[in-house]
């Protein structure tokens, strides 16, 4: 065995040198195993009074005892109330009083008394201005002006014509014969002015009806889901198709598929209020004048169709008033 050993340094006896080297190596291993560390890498020693935190545990235990004692007291109170009934007066009838309450009440009563006396004096006072005398004087002046002028001014108006204009419920439905050309011109002018007011009111009603967009997604889904809708719903949808101009050349029985296709679009078609043809208005007139088309019957069938029918009525009224204004302007 020693013949294969090759020492690091030259030696006379390889056998002895191998034994010495093995002894030195074993001693080296023993020293390495038993050698102590020069740097302390272990965790520091834990002190019991720091780890346990006895004071914190004591406070937590005391808090739990207080909570448990309060819970026991509350349970006892609740049990007592359930056995004997409640004696707690929970009604807050306290009324705020101030030191000058009586004085403020007296002052308020004095002011009310003075206001009543002032109102009595105002009502008992005769009027200093007599409007009837003014109107009679104005009518006399207009009569004199019409007698001395060759061409009476357009702004003249007799008291009789003024009373007749005020008594009419709607100016553009009057069929009375005018007394003269001037009176006819005045009647047309007044009618146009009244129509402008009614046209603006109709425009506001169209905006307030929220249009076709005010129906809602759920209602549109309900309307599209009908394969054979009720008669009233079918009539309203047919009127809607005619109003948006999709019912040209279609018969009444074929309008519902067109309406369902129009309601299925992501952007519903808009209606230009000022350019609705007369042919569409004539077809809509049959639906508007139908006695079955009233709000009560529509609500009994479906609430989702009421807003659409209200919008169609507002658009129709606006178009009729606008057409009357155009005709009167051409006549004038």
């Amino acid at each position: 065995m020693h013949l294969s050993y090759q020492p690091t340094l030259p030696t006379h006896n390889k056998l002895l040198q191998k034994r010495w080297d093995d002894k030195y190596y074993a001693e080296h291993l023993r020293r390495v195993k038993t050698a102590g560390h020069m740097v302390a890498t272990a965790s520091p020693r834990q002190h019991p009074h720091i780890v346990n935190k006895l004071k914190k545990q004591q406070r937590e235990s005391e808090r739990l005892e207080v909570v448990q004692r309060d819970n026991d007291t509350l349970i006892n109170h609740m049990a007592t109330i359930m056995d004997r009934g409640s004696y707690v007066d929970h009604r807050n009838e306290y009324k705020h009083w101030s030191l000058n309450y009586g004085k403020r009440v007296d002052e308020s009563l004095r002011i009310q008394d003075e206001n009543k006396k002032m109102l009595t004096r105002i009502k008992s006072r005769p009027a200093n201005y007599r409007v009837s005398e003014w109107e009679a004087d104005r009518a006399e002046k207009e009569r004199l002006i019409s007698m001395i002028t060759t061409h009476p001014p357009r702004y003249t108006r007799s008291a009789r014509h003024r009373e007749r204009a005020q008594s009419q419920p709607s100016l553009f439905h009057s069929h009375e014969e005018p007394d003269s050309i001037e009176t006819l011109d005045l009647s047309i002018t007044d009618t146009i002015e009244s129509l402008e007011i009614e046209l603006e009111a109709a425009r506001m009603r169209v905006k307030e009806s929220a249009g076709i967009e005010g129906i809602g997604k759920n209602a549109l889904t309900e309307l599209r889901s009908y394969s054979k809708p009720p008669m009233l719903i079918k009539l309203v949808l047919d009127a809607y198709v005619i109003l948006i101009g999709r019912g040209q050349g279609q018969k009444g029985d074929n309008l519902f598929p067109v309406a369902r296709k129009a309601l299925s679009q992501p952007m519903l078609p808009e209606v230009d209020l000022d350019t609705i043809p007369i042919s569409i208005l004539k077809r809509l007139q049959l639906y508007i004048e139908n006695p079955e088309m009233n709000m009560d019957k529509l609500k009994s069938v479906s609430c989702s169709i009421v807003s659409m029918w209200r919008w169609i009525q507002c658009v129709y009224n606006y178009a009729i008033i606008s057409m009357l204004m155009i005709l009167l302007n051409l006549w004038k």
Side-chain angles (χ1 to χ4, degrees), residues 17-162:
Q17 189 64 37
K18 181 179 182 305
R19 290 181 179 178
W20 293 337
D21 290 342
D22 293 341
K23 180 181 178 181
Y24 294 152
Y25 182 67
E27 183 68 17
H28 171 71
L29 292 178
R30 185 185 65 80
R31 289 181 179 181
V32 169
K33 291 180 179 181
T34 59
H37 53 271
M38 301 301 294
V39 178
T41 58
S43 60
R45 185 172 62 90
Q46 296 182 354
H47 300 281
H49 69 282
I50 296 177
V51 176
N52 295 331
K53 297 181 181 180
L54 299 179
K55 189 65 177 179
K56 181 179 179 181
Q57 295 178 4
Q58 180 183 0
R59 292 178 178 176
E60 184 66 20
S61 176
E62 292 175 355
R63 189 183 69 83
L64 293 177
E65 291 178 359
V66 172
V67 172
Q68 184 64 30
R69 184 174 65 253
D70 294 341
N71 291 338
D72 295 339
T73 304
L74 181 60
I75 291 174
N76 294 332
H77 289 172
M78 293 176 64
T80 304
I81 291 172
M82 293 178 67
D83 293 339
R84 301 180 182 178
S86 175
Y87 297 98
V88 179
D89 185 8
H90 60 279
R91 296 178 179 85
N92 186 11
E93 298 177 353
Y94 175 76
K95 185 176 181 181
H96 179 73
W97 293 92
S98 61
L99 296 178
N100 61 341
Y101 176 76
K103 183 178 180 180
R104 289 190 288 107
V105 170
D106 296 339
E107 184 68 18
S108 177
L109 293 175
R110 185 186 64 81
I111 293 174
Q112 292 180 7
D113 188 32
E114 291 182 356
N115 291 337
K116 291 180 180 179
K117 292 180 180 179
M118 185 183 299
L119 181 61
T120 304
R121 291 196 303 269
I122 292 174
K123 289 183 178 180
S124 61
R125 181 73 178 179
N128 294 329
Y129 303 101
R130 295 176 175 81
V131 181
S132 59
E133 295 181 0
W134 293 354
E135 292 182 351
D137 183 65
R138 179 61 183 174
E140 181 65 20
K141 288 182 179 179
E142 290 180 356
R143 187 181 67 82
L144 295 175
I145 291 174
S146 62
M147 292 174 61
I148 64 177
T149 55
T150 305
H151 302 286
R154 295 173 59 88
Y155 59 82
T156 59
R157 180 186 301 174
S158 62
R160 181 175 59 81
H161 176 264
R162 188 184 300 111

Side-chain angles (χ1 to χ4, degrees), residues 173-207:
H173 291 299
S174 177
H175 299 285
E176 297 181 4
E177 293 295 332
D179 297 338
S180 62
I181 299 299
E182 291 80 5
T183 307
L184 179 61
D185 294 339
L186 287 173
S187 179
I188 294 175
T189 304
D190 295 339
T191 303
I192 292 176
E193 293 176 357
S194 302
L195 283 176
E196 290 178 354
I197 297 174
E198 293 189 14
L199 185 66
E200 186 63 26
R203 187 188 299 273
M204 294 302 297
R205 286 194 294 270
V206 172
K207 292 182 179 180

Side-chain angles (χ1 to χ4, degrees), residues 205-224:
R205 286 194 294 270
V206 172
K207 292 182 179 180
E208 292 174 357
S209 62
I212 193 66
E213 291 81 4
I215 299 178
K217 294 183 178 179
N218 295 332
L220 291 177
T221 304
E222 177 186 352
L223 295 178
R224 289 194 296 264

